[in-house]
Each structure stands twice: as C-alpha cells, then as structure tokens.
Amino acid sequence: MENLLYEAALEGSLPTLLELLQRDRLILDKIDTNSFSESPLHIAVLLGHVDFVKVILSRKPELAREVDSITRFSPLHVASLKSTSTNYVEMVKVLIRVDPDMCLARDVEGRNPLHLAAMKGRIEALVELIRARPLAAYAVTIWGESILHLCVKHNQLEALKLVVEIMDDPNSLSAKDEYGMTILHLAVADKQIETINFLLMNTRVEVNALNTNGYTALDILAQSRRDMKDLDIADSLRSAGALKAIEMQSSVPGVIGPIRTQFVPSITQLGHIKPLRWQKTTKKENWLTRKRDSLMVVASLIATMAFQAGLNPPGGLWQDNDPNTGSQANNNSTVPHLAGTSILATHDLGNYSRYLAYNTSSFIASLSIILLLITGLPFKRRFFMWILIVIVWVAITTMALTYRVSTLVFTPKEVERTVTRVIQYAVVGWCIVMGLLLLGHTIRVASNLFKKLKNLLGKKRRPSPLVYSTNPEF
C-alpha cells in the first residue's frame, strides 16, 4: 500500500490517491514508520503536482512539517527551490497557508526556505515567504551568512534589491559572516560591478568595514585576480569614500595600529629613530600600487593594438590565389601571390619587414610587462618598477614607428616626400623626448644607488653607538 502511495505521488495520480485513502484511512499516518527518507508530499512537491499536494494536506496537514532524513528539507524548502513557474509559486502559497511557521525551518546548513529562494533568485516565492514570516529574513546560516550574503554569493542582484527594499535595515547591510565578510566584501571579491554600484549608490552599506583579517573592500580588490573591471570598481569605491586598512590607520593621528610594534625603539636606538617612518612606507606602497595598475592597463591596450595590427597589415591581404610566373604574370599585370598573404610584403618587402619588426617588438614588450605583473613577483622597489616603465617606453616607441611605416605605405607617391619629411621630424622629436626621459631617470636611479652605497660605506666606518644603561638612577 505504501509503495503504491509513493508511485501515485510520482505520477501525481489523484484517482489512485483517493482509492488508497478509501482502502486504508490510516495510510498517511503510517508514513512516519516507513523506511523512506522522503514523504510522498516531498515527491509531489518536487514534481509540481499541486492538486495531489492539496489533497494530502487536507487529509494530514502535519506532513507539511516533515523533513527528509538527509538534507533536513521540508516540503516548503523543496517548493522554494523549484519555484520557477506559476505552478510552483502556487505550491509555495499552499504550503504557507497550511503552516506559515515552516518559513523558519532550517536544513542541515541552517538555511530556511527564504534562503533557498534567494539563492536561486525566485522572486515571486521570496515575496510570499517574506510576507508570511518577515522574521525569517533575519535568520543566518551555520556559517553566519544572512540572506543578503546568499544573494551576493550566488549573484542574485534582483533578489538582493527586493530583500534590501523590504528589510530597510542598515545593520543587516553591514552584517558579517563567520569570516567577517560583509556583502560589499563578497561583491568586490567576485567582481560583481552591478551589485557593487547598487550597494554604494542605493544603500547605507559600510564601505570601510574590516573582515577578520583586517581588510577593507578596497584591500580585497587589490589582492584579487586582475580584471578589466578593477579600475571601474576602484573608482566606485573611492567615490564612496572607501579606504585601505593602512590608509585608515594613517588617517588617525597618533594611532599606528597593527604595525605599531615594529617601530617601538630600544634605549640604544633612541638617537637614530626617524619619526613617522610608517607614513613614508605607506606612501611608497600606494605609489607602487598605482604604478602597477597603470602599467597593467597600458600594457594591455598596447598588446591589443599590436595584435590587431599584426593580423591586419597595411594594404590588407590577398583574397585570391595567383600563382602565375614569368611572362604570364607580366601579361596579366599581376604579381604572383597566395590568398591570405600580405599585399605589402609582395610589393614592398623592405617596408613590410620594418613594419613587422616594430610591431612585434611592441607586442612582445607589452606581453612581457603583463607576464611580469601577473606572475606575482615582488616588484616592491622603485628600481624594478623603473625597469618595467622602460619596457613600456620601448613598447610605445615601437608602436609609434609602426604607425610611421603604415602612414608611408598609405601615402600616395605625389605627396610622399612632404609627408615623409613631416613624419621624420615627428619621430626625431619623439626620440629626443624619450631619450631625455630615459637619461633623467637613469641619472636619478644612479644617484639613489650612489647615495645608498655611500651610506653603507659610512656605516661600516662609523664607531659602534654608545650603550645606555637601563638603570633607573641613570
């Protein structure tokens, strides 16, 4: 009999259900004693048999409180997950009418039906569930995640907007999970730029909240994988007043925070302490971070341009095959060529070789910069950063030379001399500017190295410092 009941639930067969109830009025009461992990109500809800569910609940409404033995899902949990159609939304309404307190029921991970509906973006079901038990929207999982955390974690922006509008609670917006992560931390870590903009422009989310590691949302962005969205996200965060943790420490006079113990002097060092050294270190790190970000953007743009220029050389590509040679080629007034090869290479191999050499140099230089920046090498000194900047200069200069060859190819013979002269003057001026910059920075780097070497030699010759007594009577 019980097996027949489960088969009827699979098929959603009302005649079979009614027949079984006539044959055994206690068949629904015997469900608790069987060996199945799910009740027939779970199965009917899962498959969307609304009429079948209504009949079962009319005979035994207590089944709405039953949970399966594995995930601890109630029928309302199942309906909330599956509410992708009007049929399932109706199922949610039926179950809520029978027992609205099941909105508060928790599965093995501490999630209630509202959590599951938010994770899947089931907007209509979410409205019904919150309307039935608003308190369920404030519950958290065993990991300390609120319904807002789950919306962001599963990238459900519409569900997030709905819950934020209904709850209207600043404390929920700044709530933290087990790891101290707010919803802004999660959105930044996952590069959800639309969610970030919504939170910053339409809510009162705390932009400088710290997680358990002491990181703000801006710190999370700096430590995450590189992405084309990074600049937009950083601009949005900065516009909203976001700071890095180290900047927050430096903004409070006299408070150094976690790095304070690194600069507590011993009595033998009092004559050599440089005040506010940590502020200088902060400025240096900020400078290096900005330089790295700028170099990544510039190198990416140059690599894109060089790649496109390599695939589309000046003059285009031959579209047909013409393997004629000798007198046949002269009669047809064409040059032997193959489809897909460069027209410029066929007519002017010298210019094509120069074009290809300049463009390839620019492409390789920009790829080298990208590779060095994403490999995680510790470019935390200005000397290494200057090396990267010099490589960028090489990439930009070779890109300018590529442009020069391209314009010469496009220019008609009648005005070629005049245009060539103008381009030559421009290139010479450009090379002079780049040379002066390179010379200036080289002198600066050499000067810094000389000063460090001089200080190092001076320390070796300097007598050992006096050791002060620690006796209080001193």
Side-chain angles (χ1 to χ4, degrees), residues 78 84 152 176 187 198 326 354 408:
V78 177
T84 55
V152 176
K176 300 179 180 181
F198 167 74
R354 285 189 290 273
L408 290 178

Side-chain angles (χ1 to χ4, degrees), residues 43 45 88 172 184 189 213 216 301 321 352:
I43 296 174
V45 170
Y88 281 105
S172 298
L184 185 60
N213 292 323
T216 65
L301 292 175
N321 291 316
Y352 177 75

Side-chain angles (χ1 to χ4, degrees), residues 67 106 128 149 161 174 187 231 245 297 313 326 368 375 377 383 420 430 436 472:
V67 296
R106 293 156 58 89
E128 297 296 332
H149 283 91
K161 291 179 179 179
S174 300
L231 291 178
V297 173
S368 300
T375 49
L377 294 177
F383 176 73
T420 302
W430 172 266
L436 291 175

Side-chain angles (χ1 to χ4, degrees), residues 3 24 31 42 64 199 217 285-286 320 367 393:
N3 289 334
D24 185 356
I31 291 175
H42 282 88
L199 292 174
E285 291 179 353
N286 292 339
D320 59 344
L367 288 184
W393 289 344

Side-chain angles (χ1 to χ4, degrees), residues 18 20 35 49 64 67 75 93 103 225 248 287 297 306 315 341 423 435 461:
L18 295 174
L20 292 173
S35 59
H49 303 315
V67 296
K93 293 179 181 179
C103 294
R225 69 186 187 280
M248 293 171 60
W287 181 86
V297 173
T341 58
I423 294 176
R461 298 174 181 174

Side-chain angles (χ1 to χ4, degrees), residues 111-270:
R111 301 172 301 186
N112 60 36
L114 278 75
H115 291 147
L116 299 182
M119 289 165 50
K120 294 295 183 178
R122 315 304 190 204
I123 302 299
E124 296 183 15
L126 200 54
V127 171
E128 297 296 332
L129 292 166
I130 295 178
R131 184 180 299 164
R133 284 293 181 269
L135 187 61
Y138 294 88
V140 297
T141 69
I142 60 175
W143 311 111
E145 297 171 318
S146 68
I147 189 172
L148 298 178
H149 283 91
L150 294 174
C151 288
V152 176
K153 188 176 180 179
H154 295 271
N155 201 9
Q156 299 294 343
L157 179 56
E158 295 304 319
L160 177 67
K161 291 179 179 179
L162 173 67
V163 177
V164 168
E165 180 181 355
I166 293 176
M167 295 177 68
D168 192 22
D169 182 11
N171 294 327
S172 298
L173 291 168
S174 300
K176 300 179 180 181
D177 63 11
E178 186 181 46
Y179 304 101
M181 301 285 279
T182 66
I183 55 177
L184 185 60
H185 282 107
L186 294 177
V188 170
D190 201 32
K191 307 296 178 70
Q192 299 178 23
I193 189 167
E194 293 183 3
T195 302
I196 294 169
N197 290 334
F198 167 74
L199 292 174
L200 296 177
M201 293 188 293
N202 299 281
T203 70
R204 289 171 287 177
V205 66
E206 186 178 348
V207 295
N208 289 318
L210 300 175
N211 64 10
T212 53
N213 292 323
Y215 295 142
T216 65
L218 205 56
D219 291 317
I220 296 293
L221 178 65
Q223 297 174 4
S224 63
R225 69 186 187 280
R226 293 296 179 186
D227 195 293
M228 294 300 293
K229 302 176 184 176
D230 285 4
L231 291 178
D232 292 335
I233 295 175
D235 288 341
S236 299
L237 290 171
R238 288 293 190 184
S239 299
L243 299 171
K244 292 184 177 180
I246 197 168
E247 295 171 343
M248 293 171 60
Q249 295 163 4
S250 63
S251 64
V252 182
V255 178
I256 300 179
I259 61 176
R260 188 174 187 174
T261 56
Q262 299 177 10
F263 303 100
V264 177
S266 65
I267 196 167
T268 61
Q269 298 170 325
L270 291 176

